Amino acid sequence: MPDFLTAALYKFVTLPDFAAQQAPLQAFCEAQDVRGTLLLAEEGINGTIAGPEAGVRAVLAHLRSDPRLANLAHKESWSHKLPFYRMKVRLKREIVTLGVPGINPNQMAGQYVKPQDWNALIADPEVVVVDTRNAYEVGIGTFEGAVDPHTKSFSELPAWVEAQSAPGGLLAEKGGKKPKVAMFCTGGIRCEKSTAFMRTQGFEEVYHLEGGILKYLETVPETESRWKGECFVFDERVSVVHGLATGHYDLCRACRDPISEADKASKLYVPGVSCPNCHDRKTEEQKRGFIERQRQVDYANRRRQPHIGAKLTSSSAHTDEDGA
């Protein structure tokens, strides 16, 4: 049996006292030897935590002791290696940043679609299937026939929707009616917010995958799956496959993009310093910093000491809130 339990969770709920919860929640998680990231905002909570089973379940029970989070749902997976280095409870304006004021998924989200019903929906030729994740995530796996908006961050999605809603676009009206749209993401949080946004733009038939890709991979047999590739996750597992087993990708410690065995065979790959995706996007000063950091990692490994990982510049790290 794997040693560590990982729990991914989120809930849109009004938390006007969210800032006051930060320090007590941080202390409780640390006391349970639980690591990961939890984001708190007035609109709710989002994050992934991992640790000994007893510790993770204690944190979940602690969260649900707040009546506002009593029905907080989570998704579980197991690993032999702790997938996080530290515990962080952060305060945010949004638990997933779209950047459009007035979006309330509790009141405006699209229609949930169970994983077992998803295949039939996305097989409908009249449905535009949109992957709401970022380009580096889509690059290692997505659903058959899904549209990749090629966004670098979730906050770029509204501009893409506007552009594709113009005449000739994928989301343009036909016969005076907007198309049906099905949206999906890793764990469900981005598609809840994106479908709520779509409804403000006049799209009436908007659907999203309940529980996200993770629930689909957990629920739908691989023999019946329309998923191709692997699913990027924001922890040390890097990616997962059907059954939520750990996938086959590693992480470039410079840009935080997933890298394959082929990427690591490239002359442009230098462990901890660069990969084919970022070798020409880093300054010499950044590379010198990465080289020194990798030297410290290698030294710690030789001595069999833990190394808590990289401190990255804001331009090189993907945000934790992308992970749900």
Side-chain angles (χ1 to χ4, degrees):
M1 184 71 181
D3 301 313
F4 299 106
L5 173 62
T6 297
L9 58 95
Y10 77 90
K11 183 174 176 62
F12 286 104
V13 59
T14 303
L15 298 175
D17 58 340
F18 72 97
Q21 298 182 36
Q22 182 183 27
L25 183 54
Q26 176 82 33
F28 189 89
C29 291
E30 290 177 350
Q32 301 299 323
D33 199 22
V34 167
R35 303 177 190 180
T37 300
L38 291 173
L39 306 179
L40 298 174
E42 188 169 358
E43 69 176 8
I45 184 171
N46 173 29
T48 305
I49 56 175
E53 180 180 6
V56 172
R57 298 208 185 281
V59 172
L60 293 172
H62 175 74
L63 291 171
R64 291 175 181 135
S65 68
D66 184 329
R68 298 168 297 184
L69 300 175
N71 62 348
L72 176 69
H74 75 279
K75 291 179 286 293
E76 295 186 358
S77 59
W78 294 86
S79 62
H80 291 287
K81 181 181 178 182
L82 192 60
F84 297 105
Y85 291 119
R86 57 181 73 83
M87 185 66 219
K88 297 173 286 185
V89 179
R90 294 178 170 175
L91 304 181
K92 294 283 187 175
R93 291 184 180 179
E94 302 177 68
I95 56 174
V96 58
T97 303
L98 186 63
V100 179
I103 302 297
N104 187 341
N106 285 323
Q107 300 175 356
M108 306 157 64
Q111 299 180 49
Y112 289 104
V113 179
K114 298 287 186 183
Q116 57 268 32
D117 299 324
W118 182 250
N119 287 354
L121 175 67
I122 65 175
D124 184 342
E126 295 186 0
V127 175
V128 180
V129 184
V130 180
D131 194 329
T132 66
R133 300 172 304 150
N134 301 326
Y136 63 88
E137 300 170 80
V138 181
I140 69 170
T142 191
F143 283 106
E144 292 179 19
V147 176
D148 177 8
H150 297 286
T151 53
K152 294 181 180 179
S153 69
F154 186 51
S155 59
E156 294 180 1
L157 189 66
W160 179 84
V161 170
E162 180 180 6
Q164 294 300 321
S165 296
L170 293 170
L171 302 174
E173 291 186 4
K174 294 181 180 179
K177 185 178 180 181
K178 293 181 180 292
K180 301 176 186 178
V181 179
M183 311 185 94
F184 64 92
C185 60
T186 306
I189 186 171
R190 276 182 280 189
C191 36
E192 279 203 38
K193 205 162 195 180
S194 58
T195 56
F197 168 74
M198 296 295 283
R199 292 188 64 195
T200 69
Q201 303 303 299
F203 291 84
E204 297 179 0
E205 294 186 74
V206 187
Y207 307 87
H208 56 91
L209 176 58
E210 186 172 0
I213 300 162
L214 296 180
K215 195 65 178 178
Y216 182 93
L217 294 178
E218 179 185 5
T219 305
V220 177
E222 187 171 2
T223 55
E224 301 174 13
S225 177
R226 292 180 63 101
W227 176 263
K228 300 298 180 184
E230 301 186 12
C231 178
F232 182 83
V233 290
F234 290 80
D235 58 52
E236 289 300 308
R237 293 172 298 171
V238 184
S239 67
V240 295
V241 295
H242 281 85
L244 300 186
T246 301
H248 304 92
Y249 282 82
D250 285 327
L251 201 66
C252 173
R253 299 294 171 177
C255 67
R256 311 296 287 180
D257 277 7
I259 49 176
S260 65
E261 290 301 318
D263 292 326
K264 290 190 289 183
S266 168
K267 294 180 180 179
L268 301 176
Y269 174 65
V270 180
V273 179
S274 67
C275 72
N277 301 320
C278 70
H279 72 100
D280 59 350
R281 304 202 315 258
K282 302 300 178 185
T283 66
E284 290 305 312
E285 181 180 0
Q286 286 177 312
K287 289 180 179 179
R288 285 193 295 271
F290 294 150
I291 290 170
E292 174 58 24
R293 183 188 65 199
Q294 188 61 36
R295 187 189 68 79
Q296 295 174 10
V297 170
D298 292 341
Y299 179 76
N301 289 340
R302 287 195 300 271
R303 295 176 63 89
R304 297 185 178 180
Q305 295 175 337
H307 190 279
I308 62 171
K311 288 186 177 180
L312 298 174
T313 63
S314 59
S315 63
S316 63
H318 302 315
T319 60
D320 297 286
E321 65 191 64
D322 287 333

